[in-house]
Amino acid sequence: MDWHGTATFDPEGLSWAQRDGDACVVCHKRWPRPRVHVGRLPDSSRVLACLECAEALLPAVSATVVGFPAR
Ligand SMILES: [Zn+2]
């Protein structure tokens, strides 16, 4: 799940839950838990998003996401 986490997010616009990786950085949902590592904060904390939001954030790499069983 650790793919292309190169984007840096500005923590100013994020809630504590988002900064903590507890909520999706895009839609703020805390359940289901965000599972996709989409970037980092300046202090190198991981930023997570749910799969749908990650695909919207990173359309170019969405085809390479692995680990989600399809059957
Ligand atoms: Zn989301």
Side-chain angles (χ1 to χ4, degrees), residues 3-9 37-40 58:
W3 46 279
H4 299 274
T6 52
T8 301
F9 287 78
H37 177 204
V38 292
R40 299 184 172 282
L58 306 167

Side-chain angles (χ1 to χ4, degrees), residues 24 27 50 53:
C24 171
C27 69
C50 45
C53 295

Side-chain angles (χ1 to χ4, degrees), residues 13 17-18 23 45 53 68-70:
Q18 288 171 314
S45 302
C53 295
F68 290 92

Side-chain angles (χ1 to χ4, degrees), residues 4-58:
H4 299 274
T6 52
T8 301
F9 287 78
D10 181 1
E12 285 298 310
L14 304 180
S15 70
W16 65 266
Q18 288 171 314
R19 291 196 290 262
D20 228 25
D22 255 353
C24 171
V25 71
V26 179
C27 69
H28 297 248
K29 262 195 308 200
R30 299 181 68 180
W31 191 263
R33 283 184 71 84
R35 314 171 63 158
V36 184
H37 177 204
V38 292
R40 299 184 172 282
L41 299 178
D43 70 358
S44 83
S45 302
R46 285 154 51 107
V47 173
L48 301 176
C50 45
L51 181 58
E52 294 81 7
C53 295
E55 284 179 346
L57 269 179
L58 306 167

